[in-house]
Each structure stands twice: as structure tokens, then as C-alpha cells.
Amino acid sequence: MNNRCTMSTKIKGRFSKIVVGIDGSESSMDAADYAMEMAKKDGAEVIALSVNRLPLSSYGLADPQDEVKQSKENEEMQEFRELLDKVSLNAKQSNVQLKKEIINSQMSVEAAIVEYADSEGADLIIIGTKGTSNIKNMLLGSIASGVVKYATCPVMVVK
């Protein structure tokens, strides 16, 4: 990973490109609200990012997908689009420049978020504490924890 998420030539605490992770959980939607407020303050661009985790079989390493599985994946992609449309409406109301991204990745969700933020030169990642997973981490969601651990730029975690 290259270290593009640095603020060496920027004023600390001012951001120009903010990546916010969106998964449909209440905390991720709250994170989007925080991203909009911070972007308004700094005149920053917000990138609303959803990660569609793909199993290895999606790349032809196992049996082809059956119609039921394909239908479920199409439904999930539609849900991501609808979530990002909600964030887009908030951005328009807040007069914030927004880029919507859905990425397909075999990597873990946290690795995909960190890699994407690095590739975009983001100088802040905002993520909710708890995602849509049923598995609970006592203090911090596992994805949020991974992003905090591996990100090369500041990370804001929203409850």
C-alpha cells in the first residue's frame, strides 16, 4: 500500500476528500451525516463507498453461480444503490460534492475500504461503529476496528 493518505502538505484537521463507508446500518448512515457536515465546513468532496464482498467462486475458481445466488447478488447491489441514493439526497441538500461508489472485492471489507481510500488520496475515512453483521465485537465493530488499524490517514468512528 502506498501512503497517499498523508496530510504532510495540508493543515491538520482540514480535509479535502472524505471516504465514508455505507452498509445500511444506522451507524453508517450517521457516519454519512457526519461526513456531510465535515465536508460543508472544509469544502471537501465526499465519497460514499459500499463494498460488495465477493467469494472466490465469483472469479471462476469454483462452480458457476446458480440463478438463486445471482438473483440475491442483484438484490444486494440494488440495496447498495438505494442506500447511496439516500446519501446523495443528503449531499444535495447540504450542497456537498458527492461521488458514489460500489466496489466488488474479494478482500475483506476493511481492506477494500483502506485500499480504496489510499487509491483516491483520501485524507479522512469516516465509518460507523457497528455494521449490519450479526456478529458483535464488544467495543468496536470488526470492520471499523480493521479500518482504524490499517488506514494510513485519520479515521473517524461514529456511534
Side-chain angles (χ1 to χ4, degrees):
M1 242 183 254
N2 51 16
N3 195 4
R4 291 189 201 176
C5 265
T6 63
M7 293 193 303
S8 59
T9 60
K10 296 186 54 108
I11 299 169
K12 288 187 179 186
R14 294 196 53 106
F15 305 101
S16 61
K17 193 174 284 190
I18 301 168
V19 171
V20 59
I22 305 295
D23 67 2
S25 66
E26 186 177 336
S27 67
S28 80
M29 300 311 280
D30 288 343
D33 291 341
Y34 272 89
M36 295 307 155
E37 289 304 314
M38 294 193 74
K40 278 195 307 191
K41 176 180 72 74
D42 292 343
E45 173 189 12
V46 174
I47 302 171
L49 176 66
S50 290
V51 178
N52 182 30
R53 175 85 168 78
L54 298 177
L56 288 174
S57 63
S58 295
Y59 287 100
L61 300 174
D63 292 332
Q65 297 178 348
D66 61 12
E67 287 182 31
V68 173
K69 188 173 182 179
Q70 186 64 43
S71 174
K72 184 176 187 266
E73 285 183 7
N74 289 339
E75 189 177 302
E76 288 171 355
M77 291 300 283
Q78 183 59 36
E79 288 174 18
F80 283 137
R81 283 188 209 82
E82 289 170 7
L83 289 169
L84 294 179
D85 286 344
K86 287 180 186 177
V87 175
S88 184
L89 181 61
N90 185 357
K92 284 180 187 171
Q93 291 171 343
S94 299
N95 201 26
V96 169
Q97 181 182 350
L98 178 75
K99 178 180 177 182
K100 301 183 293 185
E101 283 288 334
I102 300 172
I103 58 172
N104 295 314
S105 179
Q106 280 184 276
M107 293 186 289
S108 66
V109 173
E110 57 271 29
I113 292 169
V114 169
E115 182 177 275
Y116 182 86
D118 278 349
S119 72
E120 287 292 316
D123 45 21
L124 177 65
I125 299 171
I126 301 179
I127 190 162
T129 53
K130 300 284 186 197
T132 55
S133 170
N134 290 329
I135 301 168
K136 300 286 184 190
N137 233 348
M138 286 185 66
L139 298 175
L140 190 64
S142 60
I143 291 171
S145 181
V147 170
V148 168
K149 184 174 182 177
Y150 296 110
T152 57
C153 62
V155 178
M156 174 187 277
V157 180
V158 177
K159 280 186 160 191

